[in-house]
mmCIF file of all heavy atoms in Angstrom:
data_model
loop_
_atom_site.group_PDB
_atom_site.id
_atom_site.type_symbol
_atom_site.label_atom_id
_atom_site.label_comp_id
_atom_site.label_asym_id
_atom_site.label_seq_id
_atom_site.Cartn_x
_atom_site.Cartn_y
_atom_site.Cartn_z
ATOM 1 N N LYS A 26 17.010 -4.466 23.495
ATOM 2 C CA LYS A 26 17.295 -4.984 24.845
ATOM 3 C C LYS A 26 18.610 -5.747 24.806
ATOM 4 O O LYS A 26 18.731 -6.728 24.066
ATOM 5 C CB LYS A 26 16.150 -5.904 25.303
ATOM 6 C CG LYS A 26 16.320 -6.461 26.702
ATOM 7 C CD LYS A 26 15.065 -7.206 27.145
ATOM 8 C CE LYS A 26 14.761 -8.391 26.264
ATOM 9 N NZ LYS A 26 13.592 -9.182 26.766
ATOM 10 N N GLY A 27 19.582 -5.274 25.561
ATOM 11 C CA GLY A 27 20.871 -5.931 25.566
ATOM 12 C C GLY A 27 22.000 -4.955 25.293
ATOM 13 O O GLY A 27 21.857 -3.744 25.450
ATOM 14 N N ASN A 28 23.121 -5.494 24.838
ATOM 15 C CA ASN A 28 24.315 -4.706 24.579
ATOM 16 C C ASN A 28 24.260 -4.078 23.192
ATOM 17 O O ASN A 28 23.997 -4.763 22.204
ATOM 18 C CB ASN A 28 25.559 -5.606 24.696
ATOM 19 C CG ASN A 28 26.837 -4.808 24.821
ATOM 20 O OD1 ASN A 28 27.010 -3.786 24.159
ATOM 21 N ND2 ASN A 28 27.747 -5.278 25.670
ATOM 22 N N GLU A 29 24.525 -2.784 23.105
ATOM 23 C CA GLU A 29 24.462 -2.095 21.818
ATOM 24 C C GLU A 29 25.438 -2.678 20.801
ATOM 25 O O GLU A 29 25.200 -2.615 19.589
ATOM 26 C CB GLU A 29 24.753 -0.593 21.998
ATOM 27 C CG GLU A 29 23.660 0.159 22.749
ATOM 28 C CD GLU A 29 23.956 1.641 22.845
ATOM 29 O OE1 GLU A 29 24.954 2.091 22.227
ATOM 30 O OE2 GLU A 29 23.207 2.363 23.528
ATOM 31 N N SER A 30 26.526 -3.246 21.274
ATOM 32 C CA SER A 30 27.540 -3.806 20.370
ATOM 33 C C SER A 30 27.079 -5.092 19.685
ATOM 34 O O SER A 30 27.758 -5.599 18.789
ATOM 35 C CB SER A 30 28.843 -4.067 21.136
ATOM 36 O OG SER A 30 28.648 -5.049 22.143
ATOM 37 N N ASP A 31 25.920 -5.630 20.098
ATOM 38 C CA ASP A 31 25.390 -6.831 19.442
ATOM 39 C C ASP A 31 24.965 -6.531 18.006
ATOM 40 O O ASP A 31 24.886 -7.436 17.177
ATOM 41 C CB ASP A 31 24.186 -7.374 20.219
ATOM 42 C CG ASP A 31 24.578 -7.901 21.596
ATOM 43 O OD1 ASP A 31 25.783 -8.114 21.833
ATOM 44 O OD2 ASP A 31 23.668 -8.080 22.436
ATOM 45 N N LEU A 32 24.677 -5.258 17.723
ATOM 46 C CA LEU A 32 24.302 -4.831 16.377
ATOM 47 C C LEU A 32 25.324 -3.791 15.935
ATOM 48 O O LEU A 32 25.247 -2.625 16.295
ATOM 49 C CB LEU A 32 22.889 -4.239 16.377
ATOM 50 C CG LEU A 32 22.363 -3.710 15.045
ATOM 51 C CD1 LEU A 32 22.314 -4.810 14.002
ATOM 52 C CD2 LEU A 32 20.987 -3.083 15.234
ATOM 53 N N ARG A 33 26.279 -4.232 15.135
ATOM 54 C CA ARG A 33 27.406 -3.366 14.805
ATOM 55 C C ARG A 33 27.250 -2.620 13.489
ATOM 56 O O ARG A 33 27.869 -1.586 13.286
ATOM 57 C CB ARG A 33 28.702 -4.192 14.794
ATOM 58 C CG ARG A 33 29.103 -4.687 16.177
ATOM 59 C CD ARG A 33 30.371 -5.520 16.132
ATOM 60 N NE ARG A 33 30.111 -6.867 15.620
ATOM 61 C CZ ARG A 33 29.813 -7.905 16.396
ATOM 62 N NH1 ARG A 33 29.703 -7.747 17.712
ATOM 63 N NH2 ARG A 33 29.595 -9.091 15.876
ATOM 64 N N SER A 34 26.427 -3.140 12.589
ATOM 65 C CA SER A 34 26.317 -2.475 11.290
ATOM 66 C C SER A 34 24.997 -2.831 10.602
ATOM 67 O O SER A 34 24.612 -4.003 10.551
ATOM 68 C CB SER A 34 27.492 -2.886 10.391
ATOM 69 O OG SER A 34 27.385 -2.283 9.126
ATOM 70 N N VAL A 35 24.327 -1.788 10.091
ATOM 71 C CA VAL A 35 23.105 -1.964 9.298
ATOM 72 C C VAL A 35 23.169 -1.008 8.101
ATOM 73 O O VAL A 35 23.439 0.191 8.277
ATOM 74 C CB VAL A 35 21.823 -1.646 10.103
ATOM 75 C CG1 VAL A 35 20.590 -2.017 9.282
ATOM 76 C CG2 VAL A 35 21.816 -2.364 11.432
ATOM 77 N N ASP A 36 22.930 -1.539 6.911
ATOM 78 C CA ASP A 36 22.837 -0.700 5.723
ATOM 79 C C ASP A 36 21.371 -0.560 5.342
ATOM 80 O O ASP A 36 20.588 -1.519 5.466
ATOM 81 C CB ASP A 36 23.613 -1.321 4.556
ATOM 82 C CG ASP A 36 25.113 -1.364 4.820
ATOM 83 O OD1 ASP A 36 25.605 -0.480 5.556
ATOM 84 O OD2 ASP A 36 25.780 -2.288 4.305
ATOM 85 N N PHE A 37 21.003 0.623 4.852
ATOM 86 C CA PHE A 37 19.620 0.889 4.493
ATOM 87 C C PHE A 37 19.507 1.196 2.997
ATOM 88 O O PHE A 37 20.344 1.903 2.435
ATOM 89 C CB PHE A 37 19.068 2.082 5.292
ATOM 90 C CG PHE A 37 19.003 1.850 6.780
ATOM 91 C CD1 PHE A 37 20.064 2.200 7.597
ATOM 92 C CD2 PHE A 37 17.876 1.280 7.360
ATOM 93 C CE1 PHE A 37 20.016 1.997 8.973
ATOM 94 C CE2 PHE A 37 17.811 1.063 8.733
ATOM 95 C CZ PHE A 37 18.885 1.422 9.532
ATOM 96 N N TYR A 38 18.461 0.656 2.381
ATOM 97 C CA TYR A 38 18.162 0.936 0.970
ATOM 98 C C TYR A 38 16.666 1.210 0.829
ATOM 99 O O TYR A 38 15.874 0.634 1.572
ATOM 100 C CB TYR A 38 18.533 -0.272 0.094
ATOM 101 C CG TYR A 38 19.948 -0.768 0.271
ATOM 102 C CD1 TYR A 38 20.195 -1.951 0.970
ATOM 103 C CD2 TYR A 38 21.035 -0.075 -0.257
ATOM 104 C CE1 TYR A 38 21.482 -2.424 1.147
ATOM 105 C CE2 TYR A 38 22.332 -0.542 -0.090
ATOM 106 C CZ TYR A 38 22.545 -1.716 0.603
ATOM 107 O OH TYR A 38 23.828 -2.187 0.780
ATOM 108 N N PRO A 39 16.256 2.044 -0.139
ATOM 109 C CA PRO A 39 17.116 2.818 -1.046
ATOM 110 C C PRO A 39 17.715 4.026 -0.341
ATOM 111 O O PRO A 39 17.216 4.468 0.705
ATOM 112 C CB PRO A 39 16.153 3.257 -2.144
ATOM 113 C CG PRO A 39 14.826 3.315 -1.479
ATOM 114 C CD PRO A 39 14.819 2.221 -0.453
ATOM 115 N N GLY A 40 18.780 4.550 -0.933
ATOM 116 C CA GLY A 40 19.415 5.756 -0.412
ATOM 117 C C GLY A 40 19.806 5.609 1.033
ATOM 118 O O GLY A 40 20.471 4.657 1.442
ATOM 119 N N ASN A 41 19.346 6.544 1.831
ATOM 120 C CA ASN A 41 19.680 6.539 3.255
ATOM 121 C C ASN A 41 18.538 6.010 4.114
ATOM 122 O O ASN A 41 18.422 6.352 5.282
ATOM 123 C CB ASN A 41 20.069 7.953 3.705
ATOM 124 C CG ASN A 41 18.998 8.975 3.377
ATOM 125 O OD1 ASN A 41 18.008 8.655 2.718
ATOM 126 N ND2 ASN A 41 19.179 10.201 3.829
ATOM 127 N N GLY A 42 17.689 5.182 3.522
ATOM 128 C CA GLY A 42 16.617 4.551 4.298
ATOM 129 C C GLY A 42 15.446 5.462 4.564
ATOM 130 O O GLY A 42 15.011 5.610 5.712
ATOM 131 N N THR A 43 14.902 6.066 3.516
ATOM 132 C CA THR A 43 13.750 6.956 3.666
ATOM 133 C C THR A 43 12.613 6.516 2.762
ATOM 134 O O THR A 43 12.822 5.844 1.746
ATOM 135 C CB THR A 43 14.109 8.419 3.334
ATOM 136 O OG1 THR A 43 14.590 8.495 1.978
ATOM 137 C CG2 THR A 43 15.166 8.956 4.272
ATOM 138 N N PHE A 44 11.395 6.925 3.127
ATOM 139 C CA PHE A 44 10.212 6.702 2.304
ATOM 140 C C PHE A 44 9.975 7.975 1.489
ATOM 141 O O PHE A 44 9.588 9.005 2.050
ATOM 142 C CB PHE A 44 8.989 6.400 3.174
ATOM 143 C CG PHE A 44 9.060 5.074 3.878
ATOM 144 C CD1 PHE A 44 9.577 4.974 5.164
ATOM 145 C CD2 PHE A 44 8.611 3.917 3.251
ATOM 146 C CE1 PHE A 44 9.638 3.755 5.811
ATOM 147 C CE2 PHE A 44 8.670 2.685 3.897
ATOM 148 C CZ PHE A 44 9.182 2.609 5.175
ATOM 149 N N ASP A 45 10.226 7.903 0.189
ATOM 150 C CA ASP A 45 10.104 9.086 -0.664
ATOM 151 C C ASP A 45 8.677 9.620 -0.649
ATOM 152 O O ASP A 45 7.708 8.854 -0.668
ATOM 153 C CB ASP A 45 10.520 8.743 -2.096
ATOM 154 C CG ASP A 45 10.854 9.983 -2.908
ATOM 155 O OD1 ASP A 45 9.941 10.800 -3.144
ATOM 156 O OD2 ASP A 45 12.023 10.134 -3.299
ATOM 157 N N LEU A 46 8.552 10.937 -0.657
ATOM 158 C CA LEU A 46 7.234 11.574 -0.605
ATOM 159 C C LEU A 46 6.372 11.264 -1.820
ATOM 160 O O LEU A 46 5.142 11.322 -1.747
ATOM 161 C CB LEU A 46 7.403 13.100 -0.489
ATOM 162 C CG LEU A 46 8.161 13.630 0.740
ATOM 163 C CD1 LEU A 46 8.225 15.150 0.687
ATOM 164 C CD2 LEU A 46 7.511 13.165 2.031
ATOM 165 N N MET A 47 6.993 10.927 -2.950
ATOM 166 C CA MET A 47 6.223 10.751 -4.184
ATOM 167 C C MET A 47 5.250 9.573 -4.121
ATOM 168 O O MET A 47 4.348 9.469 -4.950
ATOM 169 C CB MET A 47 7.159 10.572 -5.381
ATOM 170 C CG MET A 47 7.973 9.303 -5.383
ATOM 171 S SD MET A 47 9.068 9.261 -6.833
ATOM 172 C CE MET A 47 9.982 7.737 -6.535
ATOM 173 N N TYR A 48 5.397 8.687 -3.138
ATOM 174 C CA TYR A 48 4.485 7.543 -3.018
ATOM 175 C C TYR A 48 3.237 7.876 -2.194
ATOM 176 O O TYR A 48 2.423 6.991 -1.918
ATOM 177 C CB TYR A 48 5.215 6.355 -2.392
ATOM 178 C CG TYR A 48 6.383 5.898 -3.236
ATOM 179 C CD1 TYR A 48 7.698 6.177 -2.849
ATOM 180 C CD2 TYR A 48 6.179 5.221 -4.433
ATOM 181 C CE1 TYR A 48 8.769 5.780 -3.629
ATOM 182 C CE2 TYR A 48 7.247 4.818 -5.225
ATOM 183 C CZ TYR A 48 8.538 5.103 -4.819
ATOM 184 O OH TYR A 48 9.604 4.712 -5.601
ATOM 185 N N TYR A 49 3.098 9.135 -1.843
ATOM 186 C CA TYR A 49 1.966 9.564 -1.013
ATOM 187 C C TYR A 49 1.281 10.774 -1.634
ATOM 188 O O TYR A 49 1.918 11.561 -2.331
ATOM 189 C CB TYR A 49 2.451 9.899 0.405
ATOM 190 C CG TYR A 49 3.198 8.756 1.050
ATOM 191 C CD1 TYR A 49 4.582 8.706 1.011
ATOM 192 C CD2 TYR A 49 2.513 7.705 1.650
ATOM 193 C CE1 TYR A 49 5.276 7.638 1.577
ATOM 194 C CE2 TYR A 49 3.199 6.639 2.220
ATOM 195 C CZ TYR A 49 4.577 6.614 2.175
ATOM 196 O OH TYR A 49 5.250 5.560 2.741
ATOM 197 N N PRO A 50 -0.012 10.966 -1.398
ATOM 198 C CA PRO A 50 -0.891 10.131 -0.568
ATOM 199 C C PRO A 50 -1.391 8.886 -1.308
ATOM 200 O O PRO A 50 -1.317 8.803 -2.531
ATOM 201 C CB PRO A 50 -2.062 11.077 -0.256
ATOM 202 C CG PRO A 50 -2.127 11.965 -1.463
ATOM 203 C CD PRO A 50 -0.710 12.174 -1.896
ATOM 204 N N TYR A 51 -1.900 7.956 -0.527
ATOM 205 C CA TYR A 51 -2.524 6.742 -1.040
ATOM 206 C C TYR A 51 -4.026 7.001 -1.149
ATOM 207 O O TYR A 51 -4.632 7.578 -0.247
ATOM 208 C CB TYR A 51 -2.236 5.585 -0.084
ATOM 209 C CG TYR A 51 -3.000 4.320 -0.328
ATOM 210 C CD1 TYR A 51 -2.887 3.628 -1.529
ATOM 211 C CD2 TYR A 51 -3.838 3.794 0.664
ATOM 212 C CE1 TYR A 51 -3.587 2.451 -1.740
ATOM 213 C CE2 TYR A 51 -4.526 2.615 0.461
ATOM 214 C CZ TYR A 51 -4.407 1.952 -0.742
ATOM 215 O OH TYR A 51 -5.104 0.786 -0.947
ATOM 216 N N TYR A 52 -4.627 6.573 -2.273
ATOM 217 C CA TYR A 52 -6.032 6.901 -2.542
ATOM 218 C C TYR A 52 -7.003 5.736 -2.344
ATOM 219 O O TYR A 52 -8.187 5.874 -2.650
ATOM 220 C CB TYR A 52 -6.165 7.452 -3.966
ATOM 221 C CG TYR A 52 -5.594 8.846 -4.108
ATOM 222 C CD1 TYR A 52 -4.279 9.031 -4.525
ATOM 223 C CD2 TYR A 52 -6.351 9.964 -3.792
ATOM 224 C CE1 TYR A 52 -3.742 10.314 -4.640
ATOM 225 C CE2 TYR A 52 -5.821 11.250 -3.905
ATOM 226 C CZ TYR A 52 -4.517 11.412 -4.329
ATOM 227 O OH TYR A 52 -3.990 12.681 -4.422
ATOM 228 N N GLY A 53 -6.518 4.601 -1.849
ATOM 229 C CA GLY A 53 -7.422 3.483 -1.598
ATOM 230 C C GLY A 53 -7.344 2.422 -2.676
ATOM 231 O O GLY A 53 -7.037 2.698 -3.832
ATOM 232 N N LYS A 54 -7.673 1.182 -2.299
ATOM 233 C CA LYS A 54 -7.465 0.048 -3.205
ATOM 234 C C LYS A 54 -8.410 0.038 -4.403
ATOM 235 O O LYS A 54 -8.114 -0.577 -5.428
ATOM 236 C CB LYS A 54 -7.594 -1.271 -2.439
ATOM 237 C CG LYS A 54 -8.974 -1.545 -1.860
ATOM 238 C CD LYS A 54 -8.982 -2.876 -1.125
ATOM 239 C CE LYS A 54 -10.354 -3.204 -0.560
ATOM 240 N NZ LYS A 54 -10.354 -4.506 0.150
ATOM 241 N N ILE A 55 -9.549 0.733 -4.317
ATOM 242 C CA ILE A 55 -10.500 0.723 -5.431
ATOM 243 C C ILE A 55 -9.982 1.541 -6.608
ATOM 244 O O ILE A 55 -10.070 1.122 -7.767
ATOM 245 C CB ILE A 55 -11.888 1.231 -4.984
ATOM 246 C CG1 ILE A 55 -12.492 0.265 -3.963
ATOM 247 C CG2 ILE A 55 -12.827 1.372 -6.181
ATOM 248 C CD1 ILE A 55 -13.852 0.699 -3.443
ATOM 249 N N THR A 56 -9.426 2.719 -6.324
ATOM 250 C CA THR A 56 -8.954 3.590 -7.404
ATOM 251 C C THR A 56 -7.441 3.537 -7.592
ATOM 252 O O THR A 56 -6.943 3.767 -8.691
ATOM 253 C CB THR A 56 -9.368 5.052 -7.146
ATOM 254 O OG1 THR A 56 -8.888 5.457 -5.858
ATOM 255 C CG2 THR A 56 -10.876 5.193 -7.186
ATOM 256 N N HIS A 57 -6.689 3.239 -6.539
ATOM 257 C CA HIS A 57 -5.232 3.162 -6.644
ATOM 258 C C HIS A 57 -4.840 1.699 -6.865
ATOM 259 O O HIS A 57 -4.109 1.094 -6.071
ATOM 260 C CB HIS A 57 -4.592 3.709 -5.364
ATOM 261 C CG HIS A 57 -3.458 4.641 -5.615
ATOM 262 N ND1 HIS A 57 -3.046 5.581 -4.705
ATOM 263 C CD2 HIS A 57 -2.634 4.798 -6.686
ATOM 264 C CE1 HIS A 57 -2.032 6.273 -5.194
ATOM 265 N NE2 HIS A 57 -1.764 5.803 -6.399
ATOM 266 N N VAL A 58 -5.318 1.148 -7.973
ATOM 267 C CA VAL A 58 -5.291 -0.301 -8.167
ATOM 268 C C VAL A 58 -3.892 -0.888 -8.300
ATOM 269 O O VAL A 58 -3.647 -2.027 -7.889
ATOM 270 C CB VAL A 58 -6.137 -0.695 -9.400
ATOM 271 C CG1 VAL A 58 -7.610 -0.465 -9.118
ATOM 272 C CG2 VAL A 58 -5.712 0.089 -10.634
ATOM 273 N N ASN A 59 -2.948 -0.162 -8.887
ATOM 274 C CA ASN A 59 -1.604 -0.699 -9.105
ATOM 275 C C ASN A 59 -0.600 -0.224 -8.057
ATOM 276 O O ASN A 59 0.610 -0.416 -8.226
ATOM 277 C CB ASN A 59 -1.095 -0.313 -10.500
ATOM 278 C CG ASN A 59 -1.892 -1.005 -11.597
ATOM 279 O OD1 ASN A 59 -2.276 -2.153 -11.459
ATOM 280 N ND2 ASN A 59 -2.141 -0.294 -12.689
ATOM 281 N N TYR A 60 -1.113 0.388 -7.010
ATOM 282 C CA TYR A 60 -0.227 0.940 -5.985
ATOM 283 C C TYR A 60 0.553 -0.158 -5.269
ATOM 284 O O TYR A 60 -0.007 -1.158 -4.837
ATOM 285 C CB TYR A 60 -1.064 1.715 -4.964
ATOM 286 C CG TYR A 60 -0.256 2.398 -3.885
ATOM 287 C CD1 TYR A 60 0.288 3.657 -4.081
ATOM 288 C CD2 TYR A 60 -0.058 1.781 -2.652
ATOM 289 C CE1 TYR A 60 1.010 4.298 -3.082
ATOM 290 C CE2 TYR A 60 0.670 2.405 -1.640
ATOM 291 C CZ TYR A 60 1.206 3.663 -1.866
ATOM 292 O OH TYR A 60 1.921 4.288 -0.870
ATOM 293 N N THR A 61 1.861 0.026 -5.173
ATOM 294 C CA THR A 61 2.709 -0.870 -4.383
ATOM 295 C C THR A 61 3.396 -0.025 -3.322
ATOM 296 O O THR A 61 4.019 0.991 -3.631
ATOM 297 C CB THR A 61 3.765 -1.577 -5.258
ATOM 298 O OG1 THR A 61 4.307 -0.655 -6.215
ATOM 299 C CG2 THR A 61 3.169 -2.758 -5.994
ATOM 300 N N SER A 62 3.271 -0.423 -2.095
ATOM 301 C CA SER A 62 3.814 0.346 -0.982
ATOM 302 C C SER A 62 5.326 0.486 -1.087
ATOM 303 O O SER A 62 6.024 -0.492 -1.396
ATOM 304 C CB SER A 62 3.477 -0.326 0.349
ATOM 305 O OG SER A 62 2.085 -0.395 0.549
ATOM 306 N N PRO A 63 5.858 1.670 -0.837
ATOM 307 C CA PRO A 63 7.317 1.825 -0.808
ATOM 308 C C PRO A 63 7.906 1.024 0.340
ATOM 309 O O PRO A 63 7.239 0.769 1.345
ATOM 310 C CB PRO A 63 7.505 3.331 -0.609
ATOM 311 C CG PRO A 63 6.257 3.771 0.083
ATOM 312 C CD PRO A 63 5.162 2.918 -0.479
ATOM 313 N N LEU A 64 9.152 0.647 0.186
ATOM 314 C CA LEU A 64 9.821 -0.188 1.182
ATOM 315 C C LEU A 64 11.146 0.440 1.589
ATOM 316 O O LEU A 64 11.739 1.214 0.836
ATOM 317 C CB LEU A 64 10.103 -1.583 0.612
ATOM 318 C CG LEU A 64 8.929 -2.348 -0.003
ATOM 319 C CD1 LEU A 64 9.447 -3.575 -0.738
ATOM 320 C CD2 LEU A 64 7.929 -2.743 1.059
ATOM 321 N N VAL A 65 11.596 0.068 2.766
ATOM 322 C CA VAL A 65 12.973 0.334 3.175
ATOM 323 C C VAL A 65 13.584 -1.011 3.536
ATOM 324 O O VAL A 65 13.022 -1.761 4.341
ATOM 325 C CB VAL A 65 13.058 1.306 4.365
ATOM 326 C CG1 VAL A 65 14.455 1.282 4.979
ATOM 327 C CG2 VAL A 65 12.716 2.729 3.929
ATOM 328 N N ALA A 66 14.712 -1.312 2.907
ATOM 329 C CA ALA A 66 15.409 -2.565 3.201
ATOM 330 C C ALA A 66 16.483 -2.309 4.242
ATOM 331 O O ALA A 66 17.222 -1.319 4.169
ATOM 332 C CB ALA A 66 16.028 -3.132 1.930
ATOM 333 N N MET A 67 16.562 -3.211 5.199
ATOM 334 C CA MET A 67 17.560 -3.125 6.257
ATOM 335 C C MET A 67 18.481 -4.337 6.130
ATOM 336 O O MET A 67 18.034 -5.480 6.240
ATOM 337 C CB MET A 67 16.866 -3.104 7.624
ATOM 338 C CG MET A 67 15.828 -1.981 7.726
ATOM 339 S SD MET A 67 14.744 -2.085 9.183
ATOM 340 C CE MET A 67 13.852 -3.608 8.879
ATOM 341 N N HIS A 68 19.738 -4.066 5.846
ATOM 342 C CA HIS A 68 20.708 -5.136 5.616
ATOM 343 C C HIS A 68 21.597 -5.263 6.849
ATOM 344 O O HIS A 68 22.454 -4.407 7.102
ATOM 345 C CB HIS A 68 21.549 -4.803 4.371
ATOM 346 C CG HIS A 68 22.355 -5.953 3.872
ATOM 347 N ND1 HIS A 68 23.325 -5.824 2.892
ATOM 348 C CD2 HIS A 68 22.347 -7.274 4.204
ATOM 349 C CE1 HIS A 68 23.859 -6.994 2.648
ATOM 350 N NE2 HIS A 68 23.285 -7.888 3.438
ATOM 351 N N PHE A 69 21.380 -6.302 7.615
ATOM 352 C CA PHE A 69 22.101 -6.497 8.870
ATOM 353 C C PHE A 69 23.427 -7.202 8.576
ATOM 354 O O PHE A 69 23.525 -8.431 8.627
ATOM 355 C CB PHE A 69 21.238 -7.285 9.852
ATOM 356 C CG PHE A 69 20.013 -6.526 10.300
ATOM 357 C CD1 PHE A 69 18.827 -6.615 9.592
ATOM 358 C CD2 PHE A 69 20.073 -5.679 11.400
ATOM 359 C CE1 PHE A 69 17.711 -5.900 9.983
ATOM 360 C CE2 PHE A 69 18.966 -4.949 11.804
ATOM 361 C CZ PHE A 69 17.771 -5.059 11.087
ATOM 362 N N THR A 70 24.427 -6.388 8.286
ATOM 363 C CA THR A 70 25.702 -6.918 7.799
ATOM 364 C C THR A 70 26.644 -7.370 8.904
ATOM 365 O O THR A 70 27.608 -8.088 8.644
ATOM 366 C CB THR A 70 26.418 -5.857 6.944
ATOM 367 O OG1 THR A 70 26.538 -4.642 7.700
ATOM 368 C CG2 THR A 70 25.622 -5.562 5.671
#
């Protein structure tokens, strides 16, 4: 909401800001005990 120029640059990590397929499917907390959800970082530069 507002002027598009208020947000001039965002960098995404890792890569081009995607959730890699290798982290799926998730099998549940009982058996997938060490599972850590993949993340995308948004750097508002």
Side-chain angles (χ1 to χ4, degrees):
K26 182 172 62 175
N28 196 320
E29 291 183 6
S30 64
D31 293 345
L32 178 60
R33 292 179 283 268
S34 178
V35 187
D36 294 331
F37 296 91
Y38 307 106
N41 55 354
T43 59
F44 291 93
D45 199 295
L46 300 180
M47 67 182 176
Y48 299 106
Y49 305 96
Y51 170 60
Y52 288 94
K54 64 180 181 180
I55 295 179
T56 55
H57 226 157
V58 291
N59 293 322
Y60 183 85
T61 41
S62 298
L64 307 169
V65 166
M67 305 169 296
H68 193 190
F69 294 89
T70 54

